[in-house]
Amino acid sequence: MPRFGVNQDFVWTKDEQIPGLIQAMKEAGVQAARLPIRWTTVEPEHGKWDFRKVDRVIRALRDSHIELLPILMSVPPWASGVNPAEVKGFPDTFPAKRVEDWQEYVRQVVMHYHKEIRYWEIWNEENGEDFYKPLPNAGEYVGILKAAHDTIRTIDPKAKVVLGGLQMNGIIPNPWSPIKVENFLQKIYDAGGKPYFDVVNIHPYVLATKEQGPAYAAKLVRDTVLVMEKNGDRQKPLWITETGLGTGNGVTEQIQAEHLTGIYEEMAKIPQVKAIYWFLLRDMDKSVCGGEDSMGLISTTGRRKPAFAAFVKVAKK
């Protein structure tokens, strides 16, 4: 099971940039890459499937012996019935009107890649208004999760289903969001979601301050473990498929590197944590939700930042 992963959206990366990024991953000791296989990308129009770009990405990662954690997400307008022009934020975060369309998307993707992919993550940050519209709904999400789980297991009984990464620890609300959603992991359990995922998954972002920092991130994770135990899920692994720190506002690249080291040291003390995916491999040209433009291990020009050296050190321990 990969412990050292990174996030990098290779499907939205220019083809000519991919070899250099994969080489950087190999140098850093990265074992796995997390990226979306967007429904909007592979079936932009109903019944018209196009896997060419995803095929190229998966082939390149496979040839470099880097495991892939795909996220199944991003509902096209034809399936949600949403007019993108009328949506504030991401228009592909509304659920499909018909669960049968969602199941067919899952079936097509898993049939196409099940010989190469073992783990499937279902949605992303479904407890946040940015990624689940119009508002997060645990009962609705469990329906989406169950439909995906059952479809995946029909095709590949040995596949593992990863819960969509929950903002923060799935308990406290996202402090950077105006929409405050609490105790979402417990609500998933209450809605009957327990049988439909093999891996619990959270995104504990914290600031590099005396009040927060890696020790606070570890507290958030331990609180998640308590919820798992309360619901009889002590045996399931806990993955952190996003955590990171942007630079600026007093956070230097050296502080970012120290934060990364501290996060890995603290998480190593928690037995349930089996994988950590740093966000991000490479800086973005511009921020999407806030801070992503400077969260990378490498810059947009390919310069290895101090966080890159810190990742190498923890990955090779």
Side-chain angles (χ1 to χ4, degrees):
M1 188 178 296
R3 183 170 178 80
F4 301 103
V6 295
N7 287 262
Q8 179 66 36
D9 195 342
F10 283 101
V11 179
W12 280 10
T13 301
K14 294 178 181 177
D15 284 352
E16 62 269 22
Q17 295 176 340
I18 291 175
L21 292 176
I22 290 179
Q23 179 59 35
M25 292 170 69
K26 291 164 71 174
E27 290 175 16
V30 171
Q31 296 169 313
R34 176 180 182 258
L35 72 157
I37 300 181
R38 291 183 176 84
W39 189 356
T40 52
T41 298
V42 297
E43 194 190 15
E45 296 181 51
H46 192 194
K48 295 185 178 180
W49 297 92
D50 185 356
F51 288 98
R52 287 174 294 179
K53 179 61 185 278
V54 183
D55 283 346
R56 292 196 295 273
V57 167
I58 289 180
R59 189 180 309 118
L61 291 168
R62 181 197 62 205
D63 292 348
S64 298
H65 307 289
I66 294 170
E67 186 164 358
L68 181 67
L69 174 61
I71 316 165
L72 299 179
M73 59 181 286
S74 297
V75 179
W78 66 260
S80 67
V82 169
N83 180 353
E86 298 175 354
V87 176
K88 182 181 179 181
F90 303 130
D92 59 350
T93 56
F94 288 84
K97 290 193 297 182
R98 289 173 11 101
V99 70
E100 294 84 1
D101 291 332
W102 166 255
Q103 288 172 310
E104 181 61 12
Y105 153 65
V106 175
R107 190 185 74 81
Q108 289 279 352
V109 174
V110 176
M111 282 291 292
H112 202 79
Y113 297 118
H114 74 277
K115 292 182 180 178
E116 298 166 297
I117 293 174
R118 298 172 57 209
Y119 296 94
W120 300 91
E121 183 176 348
I122 312 304
W123 217 271
N124 174 63
E125 298 196 348
E126 57 276 7
N127 62 329
E129 186 269 340
D130 280 336
F131 291 98
Y132 196 100
K133 295 187 183 301
L135 289 171
N137 183 312
E140 264 186 11
Y141 173 70
V142 168
I144 291 167
L145 177 67
K146 180 183 185 303
H149 170 276
D150 293 351
T151 302
I152 292 167
R153 285 292 174 81
T154 298
I155 297 165
D156 182 3
K158 295 182 179 179
K160 301 295 184 183
V161 174
V162 181
L163 190 70
L166 295 171
Q167 290 185 348
M168 302 307 291
N169 63 349
I171 303 169
I172 68 170
N174 180 350
W176 298 285
S177 173
I179 306 296
K180 300 304 181 186
V181 179
E182 296 182 281
N183 300 315
F184 200 84
L185 178 57
Q186 183 60 53
K187 291 174 183 176
I188 289 174
Y189 283 118
D190 292 343
K194 179 180 175 180
Y196 307 118
F197 59 93
D198 304 291
V199 179
V200 180
N201 181 10
I202 59 174
H203 293 168
Y205 286 95
V206 297
L207 301 175
T209 63
K210 290 182 179 179
E211 297 78 18
Q212 294 197 14
Y216 176 62
K219 179 192 180 302
L220 294 180
V221 175
R222 290 190 175 95
D223 287 346
T224 302
V225 172
L226 291 177
V227 175
M228 294 166 61
E229 292 176 343
K230 174 185 172 184
N231 289 278
D233 254 356
R234 183 187 183 94
Q235 80 288 354
K236 284 183 182 175
L238 174 59
W239 287 12
I240 296 167
T241 57
E242 284 186 30
T243 189
L245 181 70
T247 56
N249 297 319
V251 178
T252 65
E253 289 188 355
Q254 185 57 41
I255 291 173
Q256 181 187 46
E258 292 167 0
H259 184 84
L260 183 153
T261 300
I263 288 287
Y264 276 88
E265 288 177 347
E266 289 291 341
M267 298 309 155
K269 301 172 187 176
I270 304 173
Q272 290 82 2
V273 176
K274 302 298 183 184
I276 307 173
Y277 288 69
W278 186 257
F279 195 97
L280 193 62
L281 174 61
R282 185 187 63 179
D283 287 347
M284 293 183 176
D285 293 326
K286 61 180 180 179
S287 182
V288 177
C289 291
E292 301 95 341
D293 54 326
S294 61
M295 287 184 175
L297 301 176
I298 60 178
S299 71
T300 54
T301 63
R303 175 179 62 86
R304 275 55 169 164
K305 295 158 69 174
F308 183 92
F311 190 97
V312 171
K313 189 172 291 187
V314 297
K316 294 186 177 179
K317 274 188 177 179

